[in-house]
């Protein structure tokens, strides 16, 4: 169903159906889900931005029940797409804005970590779930995977290939920094089968880099990227961030222009999120660093990045991800935002089996000990919420900027257009969405506020389904 139809008889039948659905649904007051009207929708649609991935949590299992529950899940074949994630906890330095920093890197840690990681991989080698379906994307994240020694990078990648059923076209990503990522490490990654690199440049501006605790100059970043690209064996992607303290619009446009001039396979344009527990959050609070860009400035930078990437003919893969060549597919990020299964390894790594979300213990010493004892080092296991696959399908569509209402209604058998009608109609008036032919497309402003819109849709849908047993049946 959609708001505007063409043809009198079809329109009449659609209107009757929608009117009936609207009148029969018990719904919460939708006004608290509305955006502001009469203001710039790009910069002021809501009071603030949600900084986490949209979703609805499940139910935590007790520590005593976790291991046996996971063992049971490992005996069941998986359905749908599957990805794998390996978490590397080390970083040479703690960038001020980063909330993921876990453990300082020392050279001698590399071998011990790799030995334990290989042992953890082997725990699931013969499990029916892991071997039941191809792994379409493998992602080494962190932390800083490229901090590891060359030999250990190679053997981790080879062990993952030997242990996990990687698809023939599996996207194998190594995340990291260009600092200390030399030719030997690059070649070790290639030998291990890496075919994609996601490198956290964040900014080419040396002054901004140093103010945020980044090592190396902008020129160092460019040279490292050119060296990696000279092998012509992988997709090379950079992360750029807008909204840093002291970062002007001109700085941001120069960063985009520099990335484009290097003819990379793609670039990701992310908004800075300032978390209170990070060094940056604390420094801003005590006044030693000026505030980050406010929402109006960040929204303008977002709009500028969309214009610059579109003008340069980059292909948009999601709200923040852009591809210049066909090498860049961004499979891991796309799948993990939806309902793909995720096999997770390493301290703090998180994954899921059909919505049963689990996290390895983030405590490095405990992780080492439990793996040595032959146990999966779980710290949490959550059972999925009711309608998990519907909720994840909504989040996946929104991440790509277009909610396919007709397809979702057909797949899940729910009158989603009628359920969300008050929100979508108001958001359209506010300039955040456009509706046509069963699709809800985010405007530029809607793209900037996408996480808010996604979470509000999920929250409202959950309440409506809880209050209408006939719909949820």
């Amino acid at each position: 169903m959609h708001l505007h139809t063409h043809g009198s008889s079809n329109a009449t039948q659609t209107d009757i159906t929608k009117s009936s659905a609207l009148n029969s649904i018990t719904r919460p007051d939708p006004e608290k889900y509305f955006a502001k009207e009469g203001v710039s929708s790009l910069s002021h649609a809501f009071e603030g931005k949600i900084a986490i991935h949209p979703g609805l949590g499940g139910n935590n299992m007790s520590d005593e029940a976790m291991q046996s529950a996971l063992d049971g899940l490992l005996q069941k074949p998986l359905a749908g797409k599957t990805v794998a994630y390996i978490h590397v906890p080390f970083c040479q330095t703690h960038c001020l804005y980063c909330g993921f920093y876990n453990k300082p890197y020392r050279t001698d840690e590399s071998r011990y970590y790799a030995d334990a990681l290989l042992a953890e991989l082997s725990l699931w080698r013969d499990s029916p779930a892991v071997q039941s379906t191809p792994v379409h994307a493998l992602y080494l994240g962190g932390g800083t995977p490229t901090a590891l020694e060359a030999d250990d990078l190679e053997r981790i990648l080879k062990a993952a290939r030997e242990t996990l059923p990687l698809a023939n076209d599996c996207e194998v990503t190594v995340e990291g920094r260009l600092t200390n990522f030399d030719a030997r490490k690059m070649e070790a990654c290639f030998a291990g089968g890496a075919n994609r690199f996601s490198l956290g440049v964040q900014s080419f501006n040396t002054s901004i880099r140093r103010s945020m605790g980044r090592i190396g100059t902008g020129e160092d970043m460019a040279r490292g990227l050119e060296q990696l690209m000279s092998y012509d064996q992988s997709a090379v992607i950079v992360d750029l961030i807008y909204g840093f303290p002291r970062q002007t619009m001109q700085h941001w446009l120069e960063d985009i222009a520099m990335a484009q001039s290097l003819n990379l396979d793609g670039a990701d344009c992310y908004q800075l999120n300032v978390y209170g527990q990070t060094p940056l959050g604390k420094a801003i609070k005590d006044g030693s660093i000026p505030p980050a860009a406010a929402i109006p400035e960040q929204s303008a930078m977002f709009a500028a990045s969309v214009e610059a990437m579109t003008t340069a003919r980059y292909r948009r893969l999601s709200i923040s991800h852009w591809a210049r060549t066909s090498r860049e597919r961004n499979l891991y990020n796309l799948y993990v935002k939806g309902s793909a299964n995720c096999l997770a390894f390493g301290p703090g790594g998180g994954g899921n089996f059909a919505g049963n979300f689990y996290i390895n213990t983030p405590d490095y010493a405990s992780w080492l000990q439990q793996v040595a004892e032959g146990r999966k080092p779980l710290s949490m296991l959550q059972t999925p919420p009711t309608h998990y696959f519907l909720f994840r399908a909504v989040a996946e569509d929104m991440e790509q900027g277009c909610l396919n209402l007709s397809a979702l209604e057909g797949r899940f058998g729910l009158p989603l257009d009628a359920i969300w009608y008050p929100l979508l109609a108001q958001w359209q008036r506010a300039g955040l969405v456009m509706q046509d032919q069963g699709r809800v497309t985010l405007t530029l402003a809607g793209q900037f506020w996408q996480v808010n819109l996604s979470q509000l849709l999920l929250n409202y849908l959950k309440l409506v389904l809880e209050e209408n047993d006939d719909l949820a049946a």
Side-chain angles (χ1 to χ4, degrees), residues 389-400:
F389 288 99
L390 168 58
F391 296 152
R392 297 315 303 156
V394 172
E396 185 175 15
D397 269 11
M398 292 289 282
E399 175 69 20
Q400 296 172 70

Side-chain angles (χ1 to χ4, degrees), residues 409-427:
E409 288 185 334
R411 178 180 171 187
F412 294 101
L414 288 168
L416 295 172
D417 192 8
I419 290 172
W420 283 323
Y421 175 82
L423 277 62
L424 296 176
Q426 196 276 332
W427 291 351

Side-chain angles (χ1 to χ4, degrees), residues 130-161:
V130 171
Q131 298 301 327
S132 65
T133 184
V135 172
H136 292 277
L138 168 64
Y139 196 97
L140 271 68
T144 310
T146 53
L148 298 174
E149 301 305 300
D151 291 346
D152 295 319
L153 279 167
E154 182 175 346
R155 67 192 182 107
I156 287 170
L157 287 164
K158 286 184 174 178
R161 187 171 293 278

Side-chain angles (χ1 to χ4, degrees), residues 139-463:
Y139 196 97
L140 271 68
T144 310
T146 53
L148 298 174
E149 301 305 300
D151 291 346
D152 295 319
L153 279 167
E154 182 175 346
R155 67 192 182 107
I156 287 170
L157 287 164
K158 286 184 174 178
R161 187 171 293 278
E162 292 166 1
T163 306
L164 305 175
L166 303 192
N168 286 339
D169 63 345
C170 183
E171 175 190 272
V172 181
T173 300
V174 176
E175 183 184 69
R177 303 184 189 185
L178 287 155
T179 308
N180 295 331
F181 189 40
D182 57 19
R184 188 162 176 264
K185 290 186 180 182
M186 293 175 186
E187 291 167 11
C189 290
F190 292 134
N195 55 30
R196 182 178 184 270
F197 293 88
S198 178
L199 299 161
V201 170
Q202 322 308 11
S203 177
F204 288 98
N205 184 287
T206 300
S207 177
I208 291 172
R209 292 179 57 78
R210 288 176 175 163
S211 72
M212 291 296 105
R214 302 292 290 181
I215 302 173
T217 66
E219 291 75 15
D220 294 334
M221 300 302 101
R223 284 195 297 268
L225 289 165
E226 288 168 347
Q227 181 179 19
L228 182 58
M229 291 171 58
S230 70
Y231 290 95
D232 197 18
Q233 292 195 50
S234 66
V236 179
I237 317 302
V238 295
D239 289 350
L240 301 175
I241 293 179
Y242 59 89
F244 286 123
R246 304 188 183 95
Q247 183 186 36
T248 66
M249 176 67 83
Q250 186 61 34
H251 292 144
W252 176 233
L253 292 175
E254 289 170 355
D255 279 340
I256 295 172
M258 174 59 78
Q260 291 177 345
S261 73
L262 294 168
N263 291 323
L264 305 169
D265 295 284
D268 304 333
C269 299
Y270 292 120
Q271 176 185 336
L272 176 71
N273 291 313
V274 180
Y275 301 102
Q277 77 277 13
T278 62
L280 179 59
K282 294 174 182 177
I284 290 174
K285 184 176 181 180
D286 68 25
S288 58
I289 291 180
I295 293 296
E297 288 74 29
Q298 287 188 333
S299 67
M301 289 178 166
F302 170 79
S305 70
V306 173
E307 180 179 4
M309 301 303 275
T310 302
T311 300
R313 299 296 187 268
Y314 280 65
R315 178 168 44 94
R316 199 167 194 179
L317 302 177
S318 71
I319 297 296
S320 303
H321 296 80
W322 299 84
R324 189 185 68 87
T325 72
S326 58
R327 265 182 168 163
E328 167 59 337
R329 297 178 293 163
N330 191 41
L331 294 183
Y332 177 83
N333 286 303
L334 289 176
Y335 290 152
V336 83
K337 298 281 179 66
S339 57
N341 307 293
C342 182
L343 314 174
F345 307 90
N352 83 82
F353 290 97
N356 293 274
F357 179 68
Y358 62 92
I359 299 179
N360 277 353
T361 177
D363 182 87
Y364 183 62
S366 177
W367 174 77
L368 287 173
Q369 180 179 345
Q370 291 186 60
V371 170
E373 294 169 352
R375 293 185 289 126
K376 185 70 174 178
L378 290 180
S379 67
M380 187 192 79
L381 177 61
Q382 268 187 355
T383 58
T386 307
H387 304 291
Y388 165 79
F389 288 99
L390 168 58
F391 296 152
R392 297 315 303 156
V394 172
E396 185 175 15
D397 269 11
M398 292 289 282
E399 175 69 20
Q400 296 172 70
C402 182
L403 189 65
N404 191 334
L405 276 179
S406 295
L408 290 171
E409 288 185 334
R411 178 180 171 187
F412 294 101
L414 288 168
L416 295 172
D417 192 8
I419 290 172
W420 283 323
Y421 175 82
L423 277 62
L424 296 176
Q426 196 276 332
W427 291 351
Q428 182 161 306
R429 292 196 305 272
L432 296 171
V433 303
M434 297 181 296
Q435 299 185 77
D436 185 52
Q437 301 300 314
R439 294 178 184 268
V440 179
T441 303
L442 303 186
T443 64
L444 179 67
Q447 293 161 22
F448 180 70
W449 294 100
Q450 174 260 325
V451 177
N452 289 56
L453 298 181
S454 297
Q455 192 64 57
L456 291 172
L457 284 177
L458 295 178
N459 291 347
Y460 191 78
L461 175 60
K462 180 175 183 289
L463 289 176

